[in-house]
Amino acid sequence: MEHPLLPSHSVHGPDAAWPIVFVHGFPFTRHQWDAQVAALQAQYRIITYDMRGHGPAPTGDGPLMIEFLVDDLVALLDHLELEQATICGLSMGGYVALRMIDRHPDRVHGLVLCDTRAEADSNEARIKRAEGIRAIRADGMAALANNLLPVLFGKQAVSSNEPGVQFIRKQIEETRPEGACQALAAMACRLDLSERLASIETPTLIVVGAEDALTPPEDSRRMRDAIPGARLVEIPGAGHVSNVARPDEFNEALLQFLRELNEEDSPGRVAEGARA
Ligand code: MLT
């Protein structure tokens, strides 16, 4: 059994620029971040990847936990010989980013938490995950997409943002049923990290869609209040996938954070030996 699994990934932008690793949400793929790659790649080194079981990525053997997704992320940084990177995760990607900084604070130069939360699932949420697994097994990913898209975008936006909805639908349908079921189980048993937020010393940006129904702005405000010095940007008119619904506003917030984060440092934290 191979562990960790080095994720299949894409690298854009200049080699010596500051690295940013984007971690997608459930059940999307690295393409969730296409609008951020386009906007940032002239100035930053952008790494996107498919988490286990998402898109064409293999599921790996046996049960999945957020812990193993963190192991895969560390394997990716090691493979790219990056001592540190800014980690930007949305929703499930945010659960991975939060556990990453908890376990490996020295590997995270800046933290961006989008449409996510620090708390673990409630009992009710865990029961819903089980219902989701049953539904995927019975009806497949297209049915999941039909149910999920109005929740992700908001009912009104589903009819007014057809390109964004189709873009996310394609990613959901590319994800294997088994990969999605494993991810649901992993999210159901994730840790509650809310008590750990106060110990984060890394500069942190939190972004949330003002109409996010899955991880509502209150969750982000609690994180903002708990993480020392964290900044929160709420994006009007965006639901749960704020980077796709309102890419311009999202990119503006991200770029401003990255400029401030990196202006005092020299570019590219590359592991010893990687420059040779
Ligand atoms: C996601 O977008 O990654 C998921 O909706 C997160 C979750 O279900 O908790």
Side-chain angles (χ1 to χ4, degrees):
M1 185 184 309
E2 194 189 342
H3 186 87
L5 268 183
L6 174 65
S8 144
H9 56 278
S10 311
V11 182
H12 310 261
D15 279 357
W18 276 104
I20 308 163
V21 181
F22 285 93
V23 193
H24 63 74
F26 166 86
F28 316 139
T29 72
R30 74 182 91 174
H31 291 293
Q32 181 199 331
W33 302 108
D34 284 357
Q36 285 63 53
V37 172
L40 274 67
Q41 65 180 344
Q43 286 167 272
Y44 295 95
R45 189 172 183 210
I46 312 287
I47 296 114
T48 57
Y49 69 100
D50 296 326
M51 280 195 267
R52 290 176 188 225
H54 288 73
T59 52
D61 294 331
L64 180 62
M65 296 180 76
I66 297 294
E67 297 303 299
F68 306 151
L69 296 174
V70 171
D71 296 342
D72 294 349
L73 175 54
V74 171
L76 179 60
L77 293 185
D78 290 346
H79 172 77
L80 296 169
E81 299 184 309
L82 293 171
E83 185 189 317
Q84 282 199 322
T86 291
I87 307 291
C88 173
L90 184 136
S91 199
M92 181 171 76
Y95 307 154
V96 173
L98 272 171
R99 184 59 179 143
M100 174 76 186
I101 199 159
D102 196 38
R103 281 176 50 189
H104 303 283
D106 51 321
R107 305 295 299 265
V108 185
H109 176 59
L111 180 64
V112 187
L113 301 169
C114 319
D115 300 283
T116 193
R117 62 160 65 97
E119 292 83 7
D121 275 7
S122 62
N123 284 351
E124 194 190 3
R126 288 181 174 137
I127 291 167
K128 279 200 182 139
R129 304 278 191 206
E131 283 166 8
I133 291 172
R134 284 191 204 102
I136 291 170
R137 288 192 173 141
D139 303 319
M141 295 304 286
L144 176 75
N146 289 340
N147 292 335
L148 204 51
L149 286 164
V151 185
L152 294 175
F153 281 85
K155 281 204 178 79
Q156 234 184 335
V158 159
S159 46
S160 64
N161 184 1
E162 192 56 24
V165 171
Q166 290 312 328
F167 176 68
I168 288 292
R169 175 186 290 282
K170 183 166 182 293
Q171 293 171 47
I172 296 175
E173 292 184 358
E174 275 168 11
T175 289
R176 291 162 222 254
E178 200 42 41
C181 291
Q182 286 189 350
L184 283 168
M187 289 191 284
C189 69
R190 74 186 189 277
L191 302 180
D192 185 333
L193 294 173
S194 44
E195 296 299 318
R196 310 284 306 146
L197 298 178
S199 63
I200 294 178
E201 291 177 356
T202 303
T204 300
L205 170 69
I206 301 165
V207 183
V208 67
E211 291 162 31
D212 184 343
L214 272 175
T215 47
E218 302 88 85
D219 297 340
S220 287
R221 291 179 204 137
R222 275 198 304 281
M223 291 196 291
R224 187 261 328 267
D225 293 345
I227 300 175
R231 178 189 309 165
L232 171 63
V233 175
E234 298 187 19
I235 301 188
H240 186 61
V241 205
S242 58
N243 73 307
V244 172
R246 290 280 184 276
D248 293 345
E249 292 86 338
F250 184 96
N251 293 343
E252 191 186 322
L254 184 54
L255 275 163
Q256 187 181 339
F257 173 74
L258 292 172
R259 270 195 295 272
E260 290 171 18
L261 178 65
N262 297 321
E263 67 190 7
E264 285 170 20
D265 290 301
S266 56
R269 299 259 179 119
V270 180
E272 278 303 302
R275 290 182 193 280

